Amino acid sequence: MNAEERIREIRKGVLMWYPFKRGSSVLFIGNETDPLFEMLKGCSVDLFSLSVNQLNDIGRLRKREFEYIVAIESLEVLQDIQGAIGLLSKHLSEKGHMILGFNNRLGVRYFFGDRDPYTNQSFDGIENYRHTYSKKEDDFFGRCYDKETITSWIVHMGLKYCCYSVLPDFSNVQMVLRDDYQSNEDFTVRVIPTYNHPKTIFIEEDYVYNTLQRNGMFHSMANCFIFDCSKEEDNEAILQVTSSMGRNEEDAFFTIIRQDILNKKSVIKMPAYCEGKNKIKKMIEVADELREHDIDVIEMKVDKNGSLEMPYISEPTAQLYFRELAASDERMFLEKLDEFINVISHSSIHISEHNHDGEGAVLAKAYLDMVPLNCFVIKGRFVFFDQEFVADDYPLNAVIYRTLAIIARSIGTVGASVTFNDLLKRYNLYDNREKWESLEREFLSDLRKEDELANYYTKKRYDSSQVYSNRLRMNFSSEEYLRRFVNIFKGIDNKKVIIFGTGQFAKRFMELYGGDYDVEAVIDNNISRQGEDFYGVKISGADVLDSYEHGTYRVIVCIKNFLSVTNQLEKMGVNDYVIYDPSQVYERQRKPVSVPLNGHSDNGINNTPKKYHTGYIAGVFDLFHVGHLEKFKLAKEQCDYLIVGLVSDEGVVKYKKTTPFIPFEDRKAMLEACRYVDEVVKI
């Protein structure tokens, strides 16, 4: 399955979980090119279709009634949606279901900066399009509606309904929840938001879901709704669906929480494809293996349809349990986390306890989903479920890192004092964190097909650096923003450069721009760091500024949460400061290129004026060879100044799925020694 086909499969997740009855009659409203139409064709139903523009011709279907009528994101282009619902309901059988899908104009994504899908402008729907379709000459081509408006149309037609909130949207459904159901999921780690236009986002949506649910705002601010309408009350219901479409056929499932007419709840894990039935058999085998090591696993069985059936557990997941403990009782949090890690450690035989790479113990079988997301806390005991993935001869520390990373992502939203680095140090993972992070990234990337779908996700997901930059602009006037964040090198030529900060932002600044300027001083308020070396400069306290005359220096603040530092500088009377934003592309200061009159330099290189002044070429350049040399020579013939972008060791591991033979610093030194290369920058 190629990327385009997989994207279509992801769209099918909107309704692939819905229990359409075999042999039933279905009317689809929309284009036959929609993946949902293709999905319905595979459901063994009697399928008819009408485009939304053909609704007036519905009479050609005569008096035929349908057991299902499906219209997802199609009726929104009509001016009289209520009339369309009434027209369709006349063709719905007495026990039939009409399934309607709408985008919510009050969806949380639009408050956080996403553009309206119909106007391509931010905030139009929130204001109910009062500036958009205000003139008669404005062409009407669609709009989003709020939940109350849609509900009023359905009720006016005399239909019963249940409403489902969809996360994050119809293009990539990951969770579906009935609006009267309180989920015990941690949405922060369960849902990865997608957007119409991610470059305008200024709040990370996934960190807000849990708060919205606790405050009763979750369903009114869902990005999309599915309304399951019928003429009669339906006593059986689906309460929640968790979807994992986008994975391999064997790994794609729908986990469904159901409630019967007696209000008894149950859970099934339904394969999206036939190949998933083999994975279900493996999951039962894994559960038996874990029980042999005295690990609690919930009871499971295979039902007549080949799905995995499990009891409904009302207790919280370990993820929520740890999040609440971290916020209320740090000592107990760490004790229970120790207990959880101990369970992981005893899940399999240890092949070895230590090796030369510092991996620690190696498990004969590592159960990669032994994480708090897939575990309940029942009477103080950890009880696992959904153990899908097993790796042979796998480092225990990699599994522990996965657990800590998932927990840290969640506890960061509740103001817990313990940090991710604290946890890594507690379990001796800090020194080799890049290795464990690489294994975690490799596992998730393969599972979610991140590389295959890279272009798709780049267009649909937010970038944290872009979000950060968008938020900065909101706090300053345009003039001050340009001065503080954009033109940070303007007028700096005759001033001393002082860096404030020694974290990741400062390291990135030094790697990209440290060679362009002579850094006079580096400041860190952390006393324990003062006196250390930072890229060849001794770290000082802020009092070092007193030794310089005002107007002779510029402070470049390289800290993400910079407000306390800028306040500190202003109290010290320092006004010439700027803030480094890693998402910005700043104009580089290039070393001057001298071109002799005779067109040749002392080393024999032809320096006749070239077609381009600055050239750029990028790569890994591992095991440097004559082909690389020839490439640089050809590039240098086209430009006066050649910059080589060199991929870092981490970048090679992440994107090339291999480890470079020669470390980054050695590769950099070799390139810098090449006569054709003027500058090497780290990618």
Side-chain angles (χ1 to χ4, degrees):
M1 183 182 303
N2 60 35
E4 185 177 345
E5 292 169 337
R6 199 172 296 280
I7 292 168
R8 288 181 61 83
E9 292 300 300
I10 291 173
R11 163 73 172 179
K12 293 178 183 179
V14 175
L15 284 178
M16 192 180 283
W17 51 271
Y18 192 88
F20 292 101
K21 296 177 182 177
R22 294 174 64 88
S24 59
S25 56
V26 179
L27 174 62
F28 178 77
I29 306 300
N31 297 321
E32 293 189 0
T33 56
D34 192 319
L36 289 179
F37 181 79
E38 182 180 320
M39 182 274 296
L40 289 168
K41 284 174 66 176
C43 288
S44 301
V45 296
D46 190 13
L47 183 61
F48 295 81
S49 71
L50 286 176
S51 72
V52 70
N53 295 324
Q54 294 175 318
L55 280 179
N56 291 331
D57 298 329
I58 197 170
R60 69 184 176 86
L61 298 176
R62 299 177 184 175
K63 295 183 179 180
R64 173 148 194 174
E65 293 184 341
F66 297 91
E67 291 166 88
Y68 300 98
I69 297 175
V70 177
I72 304 293
E73 282 190 299
S74 55
L75 301 185
E76 292 169 333
V77 300
L78 300 174
Q79 293 196 42
D80 184 12
I81 298 180
Q82 179 176 316
I85 293 174
L87 186 63
L88 291 172
S89 65
K90 294 177 180 179
H91 292 267
L92 187 66
S93 67
E94 282 302 311
K95 295 187 177 182
H97 290 258
M98 181 158 53
I99 305 164
L100 307 175
F102 296 94
N103 289 290
N104 179 17
R105 72 177 180 87
L106 300 178
V108 64
R109 67 196 302 178
Y110 303 120
F111 284 94
F112 293 170
D114 198 16
R115 292 182 181 178
D116 185 277
Y118 294 105
T119 69
N120 199 33
Q121 300 291 326
S122 297
F123 308 120
D124 278 352
I126 294 173
E127 294 186 318
N128 206 16
Y129 304 95
R130 67 190 186 93
H131 295 300
T132 312
Y133 301 121
S134 56
K135 301 177 183 178
K136 290 183 179 180
E137 55 268 30
D138 289 338
D139 291 331
F140 188 96
F141 59 92
R143 64 191 298 168
C144 304
Y145 295 88
D146 58 85
K147 185 179 180 181
E148 190 278 333
T149 298
I150 302 167
T151 301
S152 67
W153 295 334
I154 295 170
V155 171
H156 186 78
M157 293 298 114
L159 296 171
K160 313 293 183 183
Y161 73 92
C162 62
C163 178
Y164 294 92
S165 295
V166 176
L167 292 178
D169 59 32
F170 288 130
S171 70
N172 186 15
V173 172
Q174 297 164 35
M175 294 196 75
V176 178
L177 293 100
R178 204 170 79 168
D179 65 358
D180 59 354
Y181 176 67
Q182 182 84 3
S183 176
N184 63 353
E185 296 279 4
D186 182 356
F187 299 110
T188 304
V189 289
R190 278 295 189 193
V191 179
I192 303 175
T194 48
Y195 298 96
N196 302 317
H197 197 273
K199 292 186 182 298
T200 56
I201 300 301
F202 51 83
I203 294 179
E204 297 180 353
E205 181 178 324
D206 37 333
Y207 287 95
V208 183
Y209 291 141
N210 290 330
T211 302
L212 291 176
Q213 178 167 256
R214 288 197 301 271
N215 286 275
M217 302 166 65
F218 181 87
H219 292 289
S220 60
M221 296 187 71
N223 291 323
C224 310
F225 299 122
I226 292 176
F227 287 85
D228 189 353
C229 313
S230 57
K231 295 180 178 179
E232 297 181 355
E233 200 79 48
D234 192 344
N235 293 321
E236 293 194 30
I238 290 174
L239 303 180
Q240 176 178 309
V241 180
T242 303
S243 170
S244 58
M245 293 295 288
R247 299 180 179 181
N248 279 333
E249 286 84 342
E250 186 182 46
D251 297 323
F253 288 93
F254 296 100
T255 302
I256 304 171
I257 300 176
R258 302 180 300 188
Q259 180 174 279
D260 63 19
I261 58 176
L262 299 176
N263 293 328
K264 181 180 179 181
K265 299 182 181 71
S266 62
V267 181
I268 64 165
K269 194 174 185 69
M270 184 181 79
Y273 308 99
C274 292
E275 292 85 343
K277 294 182 179 180
N278 294 326
K279 176 55 74 74
I280 283 179
K281 293 178 182 178
K282 292 179 183 178
M283 290 172 63
I284 292 178
E285 292 173 2
V286 167
D288 291 336
E289 291 171 2
L290 291 173
R291 292 189 186 101
E292 289 175 3
H293 287 81
D294 296 323
I295 294 173
D296 294 328
V297 183
I298 65 173
E299 294 298 324
M300 299 176 290
K301 65 179 182 179
V302 181
D303 68 13
K304 62 182 180 180
N305 298 315
S307 297
L308 192 67
E309 188 173 342
M310 299 170 278
Y312 174 79
I313 307 295
S314 59
E315 277 79 4
T317 61
Q319 180 74 5
L320 292 176
Y321 176 75
F322 281 128
R323 190 183 72 192
E324 298 303 320
L325 270 185
S328 61
D329 190 335
E330 183 178 324
R331 182 187 63 80
M332 180 63 72
F333 165 75
L334 293 174
E335 285 182 7
K336 296 303 290 185
L337 184 55
D338 288 343
E339 183 181 329
F340 191 90
I341 299 301
N342 187 56
V343 173
I344 296 175
S345 179
H346 288 83
S347 62
S348 178
I349 297 171
H350 291 199
I351 295 177
S352 65
E353 290 298 334
H354 300 282
N355 60 37
H356 65 280
D357 291 329
E359 285 185 345
V362 176
L363 299 174
K365 284 190 174 183
Y367 303 97
L368 303 183
D369 261 358
M370 286 192 72
V371 294
L373 282 174
N374 295 344
C375 178
F376 293 111
V377 181
I378 303 176
K379 296 181 179 179
R381 292 181 62 84
F382 296 114
V383 183
F384 292 86
F385 63 94
D386 275 10
Q387 297 304 302
E388 299 181 45
F389 306 102
V390 183
D392 295 330
D393 302 344
Y394 200 79
L396 169 62
N397 282 346
V399 186
I400 296 175
Y401 179 92
R402 177 161 156 72
T403 284
L404 299 183
I406 290 173
I407 290 176
R409 181 171 168 81
S410 181
I411 65 175
T413 65
V414 294
S417 59
V418 63
T419 67
F420 186 32
N421 284 342
D422 293 335
L423 297 178
L424 294 178
K425 291 174 182 177
R426 181 180 182 84
Y427 298 104
N428 300 315
L429 305 183
Y430 187 81
D431 291 341
N432 287 323
R433 64 178 298 173
E434 289 185 358
K435 182 170 191 173
W436 314 132
E437 181 181 1
S438 176
L439 287 171
E440 161 79 348
R441 188 167 53 236
E442 182 180 328
F443 167 68
L444 291 177
S445 178
D446 180 64
L447 178 65
R448 298 170 177 168
K449 301 302 169 190
E450 298 279 359
D451 290 339
E452 182 181 319
L453 299 173
N455 291 334
Y456 171 70
Y457 287 136
T458 298
K459 295 175 183 177
K460 298 290 288 183
R461 292 178 180 172
Y462 70 72
D463 177 82
S464 294
S465 296
Q466 182 70 61
V467 171
Y468 171 76
S469 182
N470 290 344
R471 290 175 72 163
L472 290 180
R473 286 196 290 271
M474 299 174 67
N475 293 300
F476 298 88
S477 67
S478 58
E479 180 182 350
E480 188 175 11
Y481 177 76
L482 288 172
R483 182 165 66 91
R484 297 290 191 199
F485 295 94
V486 179
N487 300 321
I488 66 173
F489 296 132
K490 186 176 182 180
I492 203 174
D493 293 339
N494 298 318
K495 295 185 178 182
K496 295 179 175 66
V497 175
I498 298 175
I499 303 301
F500 204 128
T502 59
Q504 293 300 317
F505 278 25
K507 291 177 182 177
R508 182 169 175 79
F509 176 88
M510 293 297 287
E511 289 167 358
L512 289 175
Y513 306 105
D516 295 355
Y517 302 93
D518 293 326
V519 176
E520 177 75 16
V522 174
I523 298 173
D524 195 315
N525 284 328
N526 185 347
I527 297 176
S528 65
R529 295 223 58 187
Q530 294 171 13
E532 294 181 5
D533 178 86
F534 187 78
Y535 289 83
V537 183
K538 190 173 94 171
I539 300 174
S540 306
D543 55 359
V544 74
L545 296 174
D546 296 333
S547 62
Y548 300 105
E549 184 180 347
H550 285 301
T552 64
Y553 64 87
R554 175 170 298 168
V555 179
I556 301 178
V557 180
C558 299
I559 298 174
K560 182 173 183 178
N561 299 313
F562 57 83
L563 287 178
S564 62
V565 169
T566 56
N567 290 337
Q568 177 185 357
L569 292 173
E570 289 175 0
K571 287 179 181 178
M572 295 174 66
V574 178
N575 187 53
D576 193 354
Y577 66 83
V578 294
I579 294 97
Y580 170 60
D581 177 359
S583 68
Q584 291 277 359
V585 179
Y586 297 103
E587 183 177 351
R588 300 290 302 276
Q589 182 188 64
R590 299 298 172 207
K591 298 166 186 151
V593 179
S594 176
V595 182
L597 293 176
N598 63 5
H600 288 80
S601 65
D602 293 339
N603 60 14
I605 298 177
N606 186 343
N607 276 328
T608 302
K610 310 276 182 70
K611 183 177 181 180
Y612 304 103
H613 177 61
T614 304
Y616 179 78
I617 192 169
V620 176
F621 305 115
D622 198 16
L623 296 174
F624 190 80
H625 54 74
V626 69
H628 294 143
L629 188 65
E630 186 66 23
K631 184 178 292 188
F632 297 142
K633 180 181 178 182
L634 291 172
K636 183 65 175 177
E637 289 173 354
Q638 297 292 313
C639 63
D640 299 317
Y641 193 88
L642 179 61
I643 305 166
V644 177
L646 184 61
V647 181
S648 68
D649 294 339
E650 298 83 2
V652 176
V653 171
K654 181 175 181 180
Y655 297 109
K656 296 285 188 178
K657 308 303 179 188
T658 188
T659 302
F661 185 81
I662 300 175
F664 173 82
E665 292 300 332
D666 293 348
R667 289 185 283 128
K668 183 171 184 285
M670 286 190 290
L671 294 186
E672 288 174 335
C674 177
R675 65 190 296 187
Y676 305 114
V677 176
D678 296 296
E679 182 180 350
V680 179
V681 297
K682 186 177 184 179
I683 303 178

